[in-house]
Amino acid sequence: MDSTFIRFIAIRGILMLIFSFSVLASALQAQPKEVKNSLTAQTIDLKQAIQIALANNTQMKRALLSVRDADQQIRTAWSNVMPDISASANYTRNLEVPVNFLPEIVFDPNGDPDALIPVAFGTDNNWQGGFSVSQTLFSGQAFVGINSSELYRAAQSENLRATSQGIVTQTRITYYQALVAKEQYRLIQTQIERLENNLEDTKKRYEQGFTDDYAVLQLEVQISNLEPQLTSTEFTIENTLKDLLDIMGLPVQLSLNIKGDLSEFNIYDTETDLDENESLKTIDQLTPLLLNEDSVLAEQAMDLRGDLRILNVQKRLQGKQLDAQRSLYLPNITASYNLQWSAAQAGNPQFFGTEDTRARSQTLMVGVQVPLFQGFSRDAAVQQAKIQIKDTELQMYQTEQTANKEIYSAKQGVREAMQNNDALIKAIKQAKRGYKRALARYQNGVGSQQEVSDAELQLREAEINYSEMVSGYLTAKAQYDQAIGQVPFVEQDIQEIKENIELK
């Protein structure tokens, strides 16, 4: 076979291969981002999102570290009233025995008073060693410190609980925001599909002479105006999902899909047949909803809310700090015991000498230290502690007012959604019926394109309004749960949450 023809076949094959790869790459690039992401994205429901956030959120980890730090502070406080035991031992080798000079008359009464005689004191080898024990018998500040450290740990535990309530609520609200953006994206996409179908039909009518090119142009303009909205909503979904990943403590570079369909969520039903909404409905039903004024509910909220519980423990802690300042007027009583051995030996060393060159001593001492006057610092510290207690009481009052306001606002949000529910469902049914009639009229030549466009816009608005109503209800319910202190997955005992947090 001619070599020129072979080269031609080879070059042609290479060109066809390059063209095939370019077509495949273009096809992949032309795929919607939602399709491409679905190939690698992890799909989770609301329950999974909450569990991940509770186990992995950075604020949760820091709150747990505070609890563990408080545990160590308790041990430190107890160490102030425990015995302090120490042992010591040392050996001294006199390379040259120290010499002192004494008057001659010390040894010879008839000697010269001005004459000095060198005298060596000490031995070649000297050992000293022993044990010492000191014990605090009474120290008001130390004993108060133990109770204070335990209250401090209780405060940190309450802080972890309050943080858990906030993280769960924040996760729920962000999840609902992502669902709203997801629903808006779907509705805009559906609207574009309806307009494209209408455009295709209108073009056929234009070719047949039943309409003019202005009707075609109107639809093309509407589609062009919707495409930027679709892009903007797509970015909103991505940004909201990044926020959700951040709350869950996961890298924001991950791809994530979430379950939920707000258009099929009925706020009155206690259960749902749609698997997509099962987690949404389950979590919504975990906390009972009481919209009537209930004093018992308000009292329970004051006992269960994390912020109020923290302030309550903080007030008790400040009471202990006041006791600690008052204890500065009390005496401190300590006891100490010392057991010592000493030995001295000439010549070659023998460990701690012999029985003839070794001696032992013991001492027991009880000391009392009474503070008499330290200026005005103690009285000033007592007054400052009282002021801090009063300030905390004011904070508790203001927090209770805020709690009542939050409960009321959350209830109003729920009531608003419930009152609008029936009207919005009716609006969607009417808008769908109106769109079908407008489209049929237009296709039969008795209606205008403007009627179809208006009906289509009304349908989209009705669907968006319903999804926003459902999201508003779910958000208000999440805020209601936090306001009354009964947040799903956060119990009185948060030991399970603590065990699931991994500190890395």
Side-chain angles (χ1 to χ4, degrees):
M1 185 178 294
D2 186 38
S3 60
T4 303
F5 180 76
I6 293 176
R7 286 197 299 270
F8 172 77
I9 295 296
I11 293 173
R12 182 181 178 184
I14 293 173
L15 291 176
M16 289 297 295
L17 183 62
I18 294 174
F19 176 77
S20 299
F21 275 116
S22 63
V23 171
L24 178 60
S26 300
L28 289 175
Q29 188 174 6
Q31 284 183 340
K33 291 185 178 180
E34 188 175 15
V35 175
K36 291 191 292 183
N37 290 340
S38 63
L39 298 176
T40 58
Q42 179 68 33
T43 301
I44 63 174
D45 57 24
L46 179 56
K47 181 179 180 180
Q48 293 171 326
I50 292 174
Q51 291 174 336
I52 293 173
L54 287 175
N56 209 47
N57 181 270
T58 303
Q59 296 181 33
M60 294 291 298
K61 293 181 178 180
R62 293 187 62 191
L64 179 59
L65 285 175
S66 298
V67 174
R68 294 185 176 179
D69 179 72
D71 290 334
Q72 302 308 313
Q73 291 193 29
I74 292 177
R75 298 179 65 190
T76 301
W78 273 103
S79 67
N80 293 327
V81 297
M82 289 184 176
D84 185 2
I85 304 173
S86 62
S88 63
N90 59 72
Y91 164 73
T92 303
R93 172 69 179 185
N94 288 319
L95 301 179
E96 292 184 2
V97 178
V99 176
N100 289 327
F101 292 89
L102 299 178
E104 184 181 357
I105 59 174
V106 173
F107 303 98
D108 184 4
N110 298 322
D112 185 358
D114 296 329
L116 299 176
I117 298 176
V119 180
F121 286 92
T123 57
D124 296 329
N125 305 288
N126 295 274
W127 286 271
Q128 287 184 341
F131 296 91
S132 63
V133 180
S134 62
Q135 173 66 55
T136 299
L137 300 180
F138 179 79
S139 176
Q141 200 167 15
F143 294 137
V144 172
I146 295 174
N147 293 330
S148 298
S149 62
E150 292 175 349
L151 281 176
Y152 178 74
R153 185 192 183 282
Q156 296 306 317
S157 296
E158 291 299 336
N159 178 61
L160 176 59
R161 185 172 179 276
T163 302
S164 303
Q165 292 180 342
I167 293 301
V168 171
T169 304
Q170 191 177 1
T171 303
R172 293 172 68 182
I173 293 176
T174 306
Y175 193 98
Y176 301 147
Q177 291 174 347
L179 285 181
V180 170
K182 179 182 173 182
E183 181 64 14
Q184 289 178 341
Y185 182 89
R186 185 189 70 82
L187 293 176
I188 295 175
Q189 210 171 29
T190 302
Q191 185 180 12
I192 291 176
E193 292 174 358
R194 287 196 293 257
L195 289 173
E196 288 177 344
N197 293 333
N198 194 7
L199 175 61
E200 183 178 354
D201 183 66
T202 302
K203 285 181 178 180
K204 293 179 181 179
R205 292 172 59 82
Y206 169 70
E207 293 173 356
Q208 296 172 358
F210 292 107
T211 186
D212 56 10
D213 60 347
Y214 181 69
V216 176
L217 181 61
Q218 275 187 314
L219 292 172
E220 291 175 342
V221 170
Q222 290 182 47
I223 294 174
S224 299
N225 287 333
L226 285 174
E227 288 175 348
Q229 296 182 29
L230 188 67
T231 302
S232 177
T233 307
E234 184 178 357
F235 279 105
T236 301
I237 295 174
E238 292 181 359
N239 292 333
T240 310
L241 290 177
K242 299 302 181 188
D243 293 339
L244 183 60
L245 285 168
D246 183 52
I247 296 172
M248 292 191 300
L250 300 177
V252 296
Q253 295 84 1
L254 295 178
S255 296
L256 183 68
N257 286 331
I258 57 175
K259 287 185 178 182
D261 187 351
L262 298 183
S263 64
E264 298 294 333
F265 189 94
N266 191 317
I267 65 176
Y268 283 108
D269 291 343
T270 57
E271 296 180 357
T272 178
D273 296 331
L274 188 65
D275 179 68
E276 191 84 0
N277 289 334
E278 182 179 357
S279 180
L280 295 178
K281 182 62 68 174
T282 299
I283 292 175
D284 178 50
Q285 298 293 322
L286 285 178
T287 304
L289 179 62
L290 302 175
L291 295 179
N292 297 328
E293 297 296 333
D294 191 347
S295 59
V296 176
L297 178 65
E299 292 178 1
Q300 290 178 348
M302 301 305 135
D303 293 334
L304 297 176
R305 280 178 63 105
D307 49 0
L308 282 170
R309 290 166 67 100
I310 291 175
L311 288 174
N312 185 40
V313 177
Q314 182 178 342
K315 181 182 175 182
R316 293 166 56 194
L317 181 60
Q318 290 171 344
K320 292 300 179 182
Q321 292 174 348
L322 176 60
D323 294 339
Q325 299 301 331
R326 287 172 173 167
S327 68
L328 294 176
Y329 291 93
L330 301 176
N332 291 327
I333 304 175
T334 59
S336 61
Y337 168 77
N338 290 282
L339 174 61
Q340 296 290 330
W341 286 273
S342 62
Q345 181 191 12
N348 294 327
Q350 182 179 354
F351 183 72
F352 258 90
T354 62
E355 292 184 1
D356 297 335
T357 60
R358 187 185 309 128
R360 187 182 73 175
S361 64
Q362 298 184 67
T363 60
L364 178 62
M365 181 183 68
V366 177
V368 179
Q369 183 180 8
V370 181
L372 298 178
F373 181 74
Q374 296 178 347
F376 303 105
S377 60
R378 289 181 296 181
D379 183 67
V382 170
Q383 298 303 320
Q384 285 179 330
K386 291 180 178 179
I387 292 172
Q388 290 176 357
I389 292 175
K390 185 63 177 178
D391 182 67
T392 303
E393 290 175 349
L394 293 174
Q395 292 183 48
M396 293 178 66
Y397 172 77
Q398 183 59 49
T399 304
E400 289 177 359
Q401 294 293 100
T402 303
N404 290 324
K405 181 180 178 181
E406 289 177 353
I407 294 174
Y408 175 79
S409 299
K411 285 183 177 181
Q412 290 296 93
V414 173
R415 288 193 183 100
E416 180 181 359
M418 288 183 169
Q419 291 179 4
N420 292 333
N421 179 75
D422 294 341
L424 290 174
I425 292 178
K426 182 179 179 181
I428 291 177
K429 293 179 179 179
Q430 292 175 335
K432 287 181 178 180
R433 188 165 60 250
Y435 175 74
K436 291 180 180 179
R437 292 184 59 183
L439 185 61
R441 283 169 52 84
Y442 176 70
Q443 291 174 345
N444 292 326
V446 295
S448 64
Q449 176 60 46
Q450 186 62 41
E451 291 180 354
V452 177
S453 299
D454 292 342
E456 200 281 332
L457 179 61
Q458 291 174 357
L459 176 57
R460 179 193 165 198
E461 288 180 350
E463 291 173 331
I464 289 179
N465 288 339
Y466 181 81
S467 64
E468 290 179 346
M469 180 274 297
V470 173
S471 174
Y473 163 80
L474 293 173
T475 299
K477 182 57 166 54
Q479 294 170 340
Y480 170 84
D481 294 345
Q482 185 180 23
I484 64 174
Q486 300 183 34
V487 178
F489 303 101
V490 183
E491 306 295 338
Q492 292 285 344
D493 183 7
I494 54 176
Q495 184 62 32
E496 183 178 352
I497 294 177
K498 291 164 59 178
E499 293 175 352
N500 289 333
I501 298 177
E502 295 182 3
L503 298 177
K504 296 181 179 179

